[in-house]
């Protein structure tokens, strides 16, 4: 499932089929055709598009009534995960955990924050494709599509197939923010031994709680001046992250970048390498 509308594109064979049939290549049309006709041949759908409901007004009214029911309690995130596992087990899709030596088990939580268009969800995609762990999860969140809407990605890299990706305060290993406001809003999620990498956009950072290590990098400005592409600022921050923690193998992370940015591979790899160089020079 694509995490960002920028990457929600139909497969090439679907696009070719549409062109051959003389159909309009609108992304929504492509997605609708694919999910309603092609995908169900392999994965039957329990619920289709809105017009599949005979009386949609009644469905909406029933859902609204449920939300207004004061007796219904909001389930905690962990309980939702457990219910999800039960459902998967009932339909025969539960993945059995493979026993791993304790020393080989890895669980890392990342919280990414910024504004729409800065590449927060693309950064999440690269982290998930890094190959560091057997499983990866992302819980993305967007504000309504308005100018400078906030966006967040809660990414967890883990060797467990069932892990709640939504962090609790004090659980995050690395917080990466592309605006100063997101740092102040999300820093309470970071462990005392964690890491904060942020672009304060030329503003002097306010006093932050003692504990997490802070690295301030003017990623957007450097991406514009050094690379000629401000949208590669997210990869500068990724390079800084890997230079500090050494989590990912270079070949794996650069392959993940190229896979994520099919139309701008080289400049984003350059941004990643620039981030590494900046931290390396700073540490010297």
């Amino acid at each position: 499932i694509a995490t960002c509308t920028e990457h929600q594109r139909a497969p090439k064979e679907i696009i070719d089929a549409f062109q051959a049939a003389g159909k309009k290549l609108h992304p929504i049309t492509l997605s609708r055709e694919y999910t309603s006709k092609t995908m169900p041949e392999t994965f039957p759908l329990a619920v289709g598009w809105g017009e599949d409901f005979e009386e949609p007004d009644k469905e909406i009214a029933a859902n609204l009534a449920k939300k207004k029911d004061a007796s219904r309690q909001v389930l905690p995130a962990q309980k939702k995960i457990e219910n999800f596992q039960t459902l998967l087990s009932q339909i025969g899709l539960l993945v059995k955990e493979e026993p791993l030596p304790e020393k080989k088990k890895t669980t890392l939580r990342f919280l990414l924050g910024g504004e729409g268009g800065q590449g927060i969800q693309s950064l999440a995609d690269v982290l998930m494709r890094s190959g560091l762990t057997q499983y990866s999860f992302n819980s993305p969140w967007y504000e309504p599509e308005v100018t400078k809407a906030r966006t967040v990605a809660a990414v967890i890299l883990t060797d467990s197939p069932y892990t709640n990706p939504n962090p609790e305060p004090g659980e995050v290993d690395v917080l990466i923010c592309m605006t100063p406001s997101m740092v102040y809003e999300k820093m309470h999620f970071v462990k005392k031994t964690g890491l904060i990498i942020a672009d304060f956009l030329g503003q002097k950072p306010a006093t932050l709680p003692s504990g997490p290590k802070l690295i301030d990098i003017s990623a957007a400005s450097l991406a514009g001046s050094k690379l000629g592409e401000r949208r590669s600022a997210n990869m500068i921050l990724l390079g800084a992250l890997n230079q500090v923690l050494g989590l990912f193998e270079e070949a794996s992370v650069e392959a993940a970048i190229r896979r994520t940015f099919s139309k701008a591979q080289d400049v984003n790899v350059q941004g990643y390498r620039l981030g590494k160089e900046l931290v390396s020079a700073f540490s010297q």
Side-chain angles (χ1 to χ4, degrees), residues 28-77:
I28 294 179
T29 303
L30 285 168
S31 299
R32 185 166 179 161
E33 179 85 3
Y34 179 72
T35 55
S36 64
K37 295 184 179 180
T38 305
M39 192 172 73
E41 294 176 3
T42 305
F43 302 103
L45 302 179
V47 178
W49 293 89
E51 63 267 23
D52 291 342
F53 293 101
E54 294 182 1
E55 298 180 278
D57 291 342
K58 288 186 177 180
E59 294 285 342
I60 294 172
N63 285 329
L64 289 175
K66 288 180 180 179
K67 290 182 179 180
K68 292 180 180 179
D69 184 357
S71 64
R72 297 180 73 242
Q73 296 182 350
V74 177
L75 291 177

Side-chain angles (χ1 to χ4, degrees), residues 144-161:
E145 291 297 330
V146 296
T147 304
K148 295 186 177 180
R150 295 177 303 161
T151 180
V152 174
V155 176
I156 182 168
L157 306 182
T158 178
D159 288 314
S160 172

